Amino acid sequence: MEEANNNTESPYISSILPGWFSEISPLWPGEAHSLKVEKILFQGKSDYQNVMVFQSSTYGKVLSLDGVIQLTERDECAYQEMITHLPLCSIPNPRKVLVIGGGDGGVLREVSRHSSVEQIDICEIDKMVIDVSKQFFPNVAIGYEDPRVKLHVGDGVAFLKNVPEGTYDAVIVDSSDPIGPAQELFEKPFFESVARALRRGGVVCTQAESIWLHMHIIEDIVANCRQIFKGSVNYAWTTVPTYPSGVIGFMVCSTEGPAVDFKNPINPIDVDDSHTKTRGPLKFYNSEIHSASFCLPSFAKRVIESKGK
Amino acid sequence: MEEANNNTESPYISSILPGWFSEISPLWPGEAHSLKVEKILFQGKSDYQNVMVFQSSTYGKVLSLDGVIQLTERDECAYQEMITHLPLCSIPNPRKVLVIGGGDGGVLREVSRHSSVEQIDICEIDKMVIDVSKQFFPNVAIGYEDPRVKLHVGDGVAFLKNVPEGTYDAVIVDSSDPIGPAQELFEKPFFESVARALRRGGVVCTQAESIWLHMHIIEDIVANCRQIFKGSVNYAWTTVPTYPSGVIGFMVCSTEGPAVDFKNPINPIDVDDSHTKTRGPLKFYNSEIHSASFCLPSFAKRVIESKGK
């Protein structure tokens, strides 16, 4: 790892507005969100992607991969808490949890709030993301400190193929966008592997893009999931200001077996606050916003509810 | 009104990135959302503000006031439908409605979906906003075509002072940010005038900024409203991609009198679809998202629920 010494080296800085980081991508053409940069703290090229950390003026430290913001200190709570507690608060006593991606450790931090959990496996493909998070985002990477966590550096698709059938109560897929190393995590064979790795009535929650920008991607994911997950298939969404269009969605599904009613969480984490001693209070998630996150705007509801039925 | 002939005249274009509109303001320091500009369609300076309309690459036509996006054709549905139907679907048979601001006509379009409404007054301070909307946003300004609408061009604060006590069932305050001509619409004397103009058990819905960016402003509004509106006082929010941080909130309050349970709408507009013949189907609002919009992230809930109690 090497640290950057000035603000002019990155293609993501100089190409737009001097002193600002601008997020431009074919996944959200014609718009760009920009953050003012105080200092670039790290730039590196891993085997998979460009990794950058900078100190922003108003969103704390920021991690970007291939020029796309993955997290900021100011709003990471929304994403990490929702992608984790939506599945884990929907089933009784989750014991074995697998995280695919999520190398920054934030999902691990949230999983570790659940005292019923005995085993937390994580499979992240890019070691540089892990190292950078431990160096610059200690309040996120704190998730790695839990002794229940077992880290596997490697390809999530390959990892899942070797998992014995029915191993996990929950799988959380914390991926980047479907351009780059995460592309396979949005495809049907991957979802089939996830379903195989889950016990009967097990749950999965995957990052599933924006209802404002990516309905065509979401349509495909929903159609695939309806074929593969024979319990229930749902789409939830939440607000994350530094993600394009200000929202991010999740596919939340269960396999055949004991029914899971995702909209009415039966394992509420916000009533038992023992986890707050080591992890701090929840900043974003609560049981009401859990249920509310499944309520969709009409334009999205029409597409998602009709798809694959 | 004069139309612009090229893309280089506006301070909101040339100051940042050639060919892009960037929204920079002390209300959201250190960040900027940018839209790619195809063509500037209008620029003018009214008595109150700079008015600009441009064709964007991916969000349709865009209206900005003093460099701040007020609406885009792509996402205006979320704001207009929520600020209107949150109050009007919460009371039985609304008859008299007042709109303060909202010169583009979008709130009028939504109010006019309610067949119980007999009178729709609107008081907009800036005639240029009305004229520009009628010229460039016919699907928004269509609200003016309803014969129940009576337009008053003038200052909303002064207008309210002359309204007989107890006149309206509902008041909707569709204002810009509290810097510029809308500043008074966020202050206590204005809320007192609104309460006076409402019947007993009447309702108000006002634009109330972003939970991610403006909790200090929201705290003050909530504290003021708890003193003035003796029925109920609530905060709701929704997603609007082209507003800073991607969300916008609303103060939704009722006066003393018949109780209003805003979280459980009793006057659902989405079951009777006669209004869709002239206005088209609702794109965003439905009864589930109405109720869900009152569920707050924990960080906002803690502040809002404690304030002024």
Side-chain angles (χ1 to χ4, degrees):
Chain A
M1 297 213 298
E2 49 185 318
E3 292 192 32
N5 294 319
N6 62 62
N7 283 3
T8 58
E9 289 175 14
S10 171
Y12 307 112
I13 301 294
S14 57
S15 62
I16 303 300
L17 178 64
W20 291 65
F21 170 93
S22 289
E23 197 182 52
I24 291 185
S25 164
L27 281 168
W28 41 92
E31 67 181 308
H33 189 244
S34 304
L35 294 177
K36 195 162 193 297
V37 177
E38 294 292 315
K39 191 180 182 207
I40 296 183
L41 301 172
F42 176 83
Q43 288 189 84
K45 191 164 165 46
S46 75
D47 291 342
Y48 303 97
Q49 51 206 345
N50 287 297
V51 179
M52 183 165 83
V53 178
F54 64 89
Q55 181 71 47
S56 69
S57 297
T58 53
Y59 278 80
K61 288 201 280 285
V62 179
L63 170 67
S64 88
L65 300 177
D66 283 345
V68 176
I69 293 171
Q70 302 299 307
L71 65 85
T72 81
E73 289 181 312
R74 183 162 156 193
D75 64 1
E76 55 93 11
C77 61
Y79 177 78
Q80 319 273 22
E81 293 183 16
M82 292 299 279
I83 197 172
T84 304
H85 303 307
L86 285 178
L88 295 190
C89 293
S90 297
I91 55 173
N93 297 310
R95 292 189 301 122
K96 293 187 180 183
V97 179
L98 170 64
V99 180
I100 301 282
D104 55 64
V107 170
L108 299 177
R109 179 190 71 202
E110 295 307 315
V111 174
S112 73
R113 293 181 187 272
H114 289 263
S115 57
S116 67
V117 170
E118 295 162 4
Q119 178 182 336
I120 311 172
D121 290 332
I122 175 168
C123 185
E124 161 64 48
I125 201 167
D126 195 342
K127 187 167 183 299
M128 190 181 280
V129 172
I130 301 166
D131 293 340
V132 158
S133 186
K134 287 182 176 174
Q135 185 176 357
F136 295 103
F137 299 90
N139 294 330
V140 179
I142 191 176
Y144 284 104
E145 293 175 15
D146 191 295
R148 296 169 290 181
V149 170
K150 187 167 180 195
L151 170 62
H152 309 262
V153 176
D155 174 30
V157 175
F159 181 87
L160 268 173
K161 284 190 183 140
N162 293 317
V163 166
E165 201 173 323
T167 298
Y168 295 104
D169 299 290
V171 174
I172 298 169
V173 186
D174 173 13
S175 69
S176 48
D177 294 310
I179 291 181
Q183 190 178 332
E184 280 189 89
L185 306 184
F186 290 81
E187 293 170 1
K188 199 167 168 182
F190 175 73
F191 290 124
E192 286 168 338
S193 298
V194 169
R196 215 189 113 271
L198 284 171
R199 67 156 166 86
R200 283 171 51 81
V203 294
V204 60
C205 184
T206 79
Q207 191 271 96
E209 301 296 327
S210 161
I211 48 175
W212 286 105
L213 299 172
H214 309 118
M215 278 311 293
H216 55 294
I217 298 174
I218 296 169
E219 279 186 74
D220 289 347
I221 299 175
V222 171
N224 283 336
C225 286
R226 281 206 206 284
Q227 288 180 38
I228 294 162
F229 296 101
K230 296 299 186 187
S232 74
V233 172
N234 306 270
Y235 191 88
W237 63 280
T238 196
T239 157
V240 181
T242 57
Y243 286 169
S245 84
V247 299
I248 192 83
F250 310 101
M251 282 306 304
V252 195
C253 309
S254 67
T255 53
E256 201 165 13
V260 181
D261 177 7
F262 286 107
K263 293 169 192 173
N264 295 293
I266 55 154
N267 181 28
I269 191 164
D270 42 352
V271 291
D272 167 18
D273 66 351
S274 60
H275 57 86
T276 64
K277 289 190 194 82
T278 50
R279 296 285 175 259
L282 288 163
K283 292 177 182 166
F284 192 93
Y285 177 90
N286 53 60
S287 293
E288 297 88 60
I289 215 157
H290 176 126
S291 296
S293 69
F294 292 93
C295 299
L296 302 178
S298 298
F299 72 84
K301 190 175 168 166
R302 282 191 280 266
V303 174
I304 288 172
E305 291 190 350
S306 70
K307 203 68 200 176
K309 272 195 173 164
Chain B
M1 298 216 295
E2 48 183 320
E3 293 192 34
N5 294 320
N6 63 62
N7 283 2
T8 60
E9 287 175 15
S10 169
Y12 307 112
I13 301 293
S14 58
S15 64
I16 303 299
L17 175 66
W20 290 66
F21 169 93
S22 290
E23 197 182 52
I24 291 185
S25 163
L27 280 169
W28 42 92
E31 66 180 310
H33 189 245
S34 303
L35 293 177
K36 194 162 194 296
V37 177
E38 293 292 316
K39 190 180 182 207
I40 296 184
L41 300 172
F42 175 83
Q43 289 189 85
K45 191 167 165 46
S46 75
D47 292 342
Y48 303 97
Q49 53 207 341
N50 287 299
V51 179
M52 183 164 85
V53 178
F54 64 89
Q55 181 72 46
S56 69
S57 298
T58 52
Y59 278 80
K61 287 202 279 287
V62 179
L63 170 67
S64 87
L65 300 177
D66 284 344
V68 176
I69 292 172
Q70 302 299 306
L71 65 84
T72 82
E73 289 181 312
R74 182 161 156 193
D75 65 1
E76 56 91 12
C77 62
Y79 177 79
Q80 319 274 20
E81 293 183 17
M82 291 299 280
I83 197 172
T84 304
H85 303 305
L86 285 178
L88 295 190
C89 293
S90 298
I91 55 174
N93 297 309
R95 291 188 303 121
K96 294 188 179 183
V97 179
L98 170 63
V99 181
I100 302 283
D104 55 65
V107 171
L108 299 176
R109 179 190 69 201
E110 296 306 315
V111 174
S112 74
R113 293 182 187 271
H114 289 262
S115 57
S116 67
V117 170
E118 296 163 3
Q119 179 183 336
I120 311 172
D121 290 333
I122 175 167
C123 186
E124 161 63 48
I125 200 168
D126 194 342
K127 186 167 182 300
M128 189 181 281
V129 172
I130 300 165
D131 294 340
V132 158
S133 186
K134 287 180 176 174
Q135 186 175 354
F136 296 103
F137 299 90
N139 295 330
V140 179
I142 190 175
Y144 284 104
E145 292 175 16
D146 192 294
R148 296 168 291 181
V149 170
K150 187 168 179 196
L151 170 62
H152 309 262
V153 176
D155 175 29
V157 175
F159 181 87
L160 267 173
K161 283 189 183 139
N162 292 318
V163 166
E165 202 173 323
T167 297
Y168 294 104
D169 298 290
V171 175
I172 298 168
V173 186
D174 174 14
S175 68
S176 47
D177 294 310
I179 290 182
Q183 190 179 332
E184 281 189 88
L185 306 184
F186 289 81
E187 291 170 3
K188 199 168 168 181
F190 175 73
F191 290 123
E192 287 169 339
S193 299
V194 170
R196 217 187 112 270
L198 285 170
R199 67 157 167 86
R200 283 171 51 81
V203 293
V204 60
C205 184
T206 80
Q207 191 272 97
E209 301 296 327
S210 160
I211 47 175
W212 286 106
L213 299 171
H214 308 118
M215 278 310 296
H216 56 294
I217 297 174
I218 295 169
E219 278 187 74
D220 288 350
I221 299 175
V222 171
N224 284 336
C225 286
R226 283 207 204 282
Q227 287 178 38
I228 292 162
F229 296 100
K230 296 299 186 185
S232 75
V233 171
N234 307 269
Y235 191 88
W237 64 279
T238 198
T239 158
V240 182
T242 56
Y243 287 168
S245 82
V247 299
I248 193 81
F250 310 102
M251 282 306 305
V252 196
C253 309
S254 68
T255 54
E256 202 165 11
V260 180
D261 177 7
F262 285 107
K263 294 169 192 173
N264 295 294
I266 55 153
N267 181 29
I269 190 163
D270 42 351
V271 291
D272 167 19
D273 65 352
S274 60
H275 58 86
T276 64
K277 290 191 193 80
T278 51
R279 295 283 174 264
L282 289 164
K283 292 177 184 166
F284 192 93
Y285 177 90
N286 54 59
S287 292
E288 297 87 63
I289 214 157
H290 177 126
S291 297
S293 70
F294 292 93
C295 299
L296 302 177
S298 298
F299 73 85
K301 189 175 170 170
R302 282 191 280 265
V303 174
I304 288 171
E305 291 189 351
S306 69
K307 203 67 199 175
K309 276 199 167 158

